[in-house]
Amino acid sequence: MGRIAARYGLEPTAVSGWWQWRGQRPRHESGAVRADAEVVLDGGGRRVLAGLCGVPEGVLGRALPAWAVENGTADGGAASGSDGGQAGRGVWRVAGAVVGPVAFGCRLCTARRCGAPVGVVRYARGWERVCVRHGLWLLDADADLGKGMEFLDLRALPEVVAAQRRWRVVARRAVRAGVEPGSVFAMARAVVCRWWEQALEWEQEKVWPARLHALAGGDASGDFWRWRAVGRDAAVFPEAVEVAAALLDPAMAELVWVDSGAGRPRPLPVDGEFCRQLGERVGRGWLGRLAAADLGGPLIAWMGAIIRERRRTGAPAMVLAGEWDERWRVRQELRPPTTAAQLRVLGKDVRVPGSGTSWRSAVEPERRMLIQGLLEDAQEQVEQLRGAQRGSSAEASERLLRGIAYTVGLLRQAAGEAALGALEAGVRAEDVVQWAGRSPAWLAELLGDDGEGGPW
């Protein structure tokens, strides 16, 4: 509609008067107009649009994914609703709720097609965000990115552009294996985004920080958390493609089966061959043990599905036509948050003032990461203790008592860091003592060990 108005030398609002509208154009919480606003037209509205632009409805139906959608239901393009009068009806919607994920289009590619570098929004899935011709990563259009921010420059990151080309090969391999490429990409993306969140604690990780700074124009430290949300999908894209290729490899699935003990079931080891080779495939030989220890992550869930299928059938898992393969299902709680969701959280952290400041905005990132790491280590220790009551009484007692003592130490350290964080956030000392179930002397000792940052 905007391009039709531009052809007539008019503002889009002048053309919109040809339709009767329900609702208002969607906006972000900040009040900014959403770039991913979509319109859904009834039959009469589609005829009006076709008449204005002089293009047959059948052609527009092939070009516009939302053309055949009416009131949220695809009607196959049939004219309905309006009785053919001049003023058809239109409804404002959010594009992602109409068809699917949306991203900004490349202005340079648009200029080649229509003669002007105008802004456009297109339906594009997660593996369709690289403009190979111009070396750009096209950002999500549903996020409140700020005026003029539509892409990230990839000229300093040729590996991201190369991953876009490699994905085409991986997608064809998925089709030959009888798997929907989108499901494979979703699982691989969940795996690498999980690593991305954990990588803040990985001293060995050097690639992703360098990519993030490159995406930010050389230095992301000025607004680190915002850049980390905006640049995540571009930064991890090469690894996502490589993980997708690995998960489709039957030889890698066979390694999972061997690591599980094959015919003699055993817990998955942290030094298993599958995770070791997966780490090497993504250029991180040290990653295998860390990936294997993430017991609640999507990668372990994928491995568990492989093992269950193999034990049920006694043969390598096969996908039948029309049958859903459990291994590619990413549970809701394991799906990575979108860029828009991350930015909304960051925005709320900034907007909440005074004593109501949120934890993320009031407590330094290093302390939050330390607390999270301590809790995850304690959880891992508890998981290992589930099988500790075996062997002789002396051996079982030693394993249990040493493991429990170590876990309790981790939790005590986490409690101390949480208390210091609460004080940083402005929580009253008496409340901290009460919630921790400790004495004021404990808090005084915690604060007085080094006079500043606590005993650790």
Side-chain angles (χ1 to χ4, degrees), residues 44-242:
R46 290 194 291 269
R47 287 193 292 272
V48 171
L49 183 61
L52 282 175
C53 63
V55 178
E57 291 190 47
V59 176
L60 291 175
R62 292 192 295 272
L64 304 175
W67 182 259
V69 177
E70 183 162 344
N71 295 326
T73 305
D75 67 0
S80 61
S82 175
D83 60 1
Q86 185 182 31
R89 294 184 177 89
V91 181
W92 283 107
R93 300 285 299 278
V94 173
V98 177
V99 176
V102 288
F104 290 101
C106 174
R107 286 179 178 255
L108 297 176
C109 290
T110 304
R112 294 180 68 247
R113 298 291 300 273
C114 63
V118 296
V120 296
V121 174
R122 58 189 289 263
Y123 289 99
R125 293 161 293 187
W127 59 87
E128 299 175 318
R129 301 302 175 86
V130 177
C131 175
V132 175
R133 181 187 295 273
H134 300 111
L136 302 176
W137 179 271
L138 306 173
L139 292 169
D140 293 348
D142 63 341
D144 192 359
L145 299 169
K147 188 174 182 180
M149 190 173 188
E150 300 179 359
F151 62 86
L152 300 175
D153 193 338
L154 298 178
R155 286 178 293 180
L157 300 173
E159 67 270 25
V160 180
V161 179
Q164 180 71 74
R165 296 189 176 96
R166 174 159 167 70
W167 167 253
R168 298 168 187 165
V169 178
V170 176
R172 289 196 293 269
R173 186 183 305 168
V175 172
R176 289 196 297 269
V179 183
E180 169 62 38
S183 299
V184 177
F185 184 81
M187 175 58 73
R189 179 173 174 269
V191 171
V192 297
C193 285
R194 176 89 167 193
W195 293 344
W196 172 264
E197 293 302 319
Q198 298 169 342
L200 289 172
E201 303 173 25
W202 296 347
E203 294 182 0
Q204 308 97 316
E205 180 54 55
K206 307 297 182 184
V207 176
W208 281 343
R211 277 195 203 142
L212 184 60
H213 287 296
L215 291 168
D219 186 7
S221 59
D223 197 356
F224 175 74
W225 292 103
R226 179 177 173 81
W227 277 113
R228 198 166 186 274
V230 172
R232 179 198 62 189
D233 288 342
V236 305
F237 186 63
E239 286 77 15
V241 173
E242 192 57 47

Side-chain angles (χ1 to χ4, degrees), residues 343-404:
L343 292 180
R344 283 196 297 270
V345 171
L346 291 175
K348 290 177 181 177
D349 289 348
V350 172
R351 289 195 297 271
V352 179
S355 61
T357 53
S358 67
W359 178 265
R360 284 177 58 92
S361 64
V363 181
E364 60 184 16
E366 292 78 6
R367 193 181 301 282
R368 289 191 277 112
M369 291 300 104
L370 176 57
I371 294 171
Q372 184 64 29
L374 290 169
L375 293 176
E376 290 178 353
D377 289 346
Q379 181 181 10
E380 179 183 342
Q381 289 297 319
V382 171
E383 291 288 343
Q384 293 179 4
L385 288 174
R386 289 183 176 180
Q389 300 187 63
R390 297 174 182 173
S392 67
S393 298
E395 292 173 343
S397 299
E398 182 181 8
R399 281 196 298 268
L400 281 170
L401 293 174
R402 287 185 181 276
I404 292 172

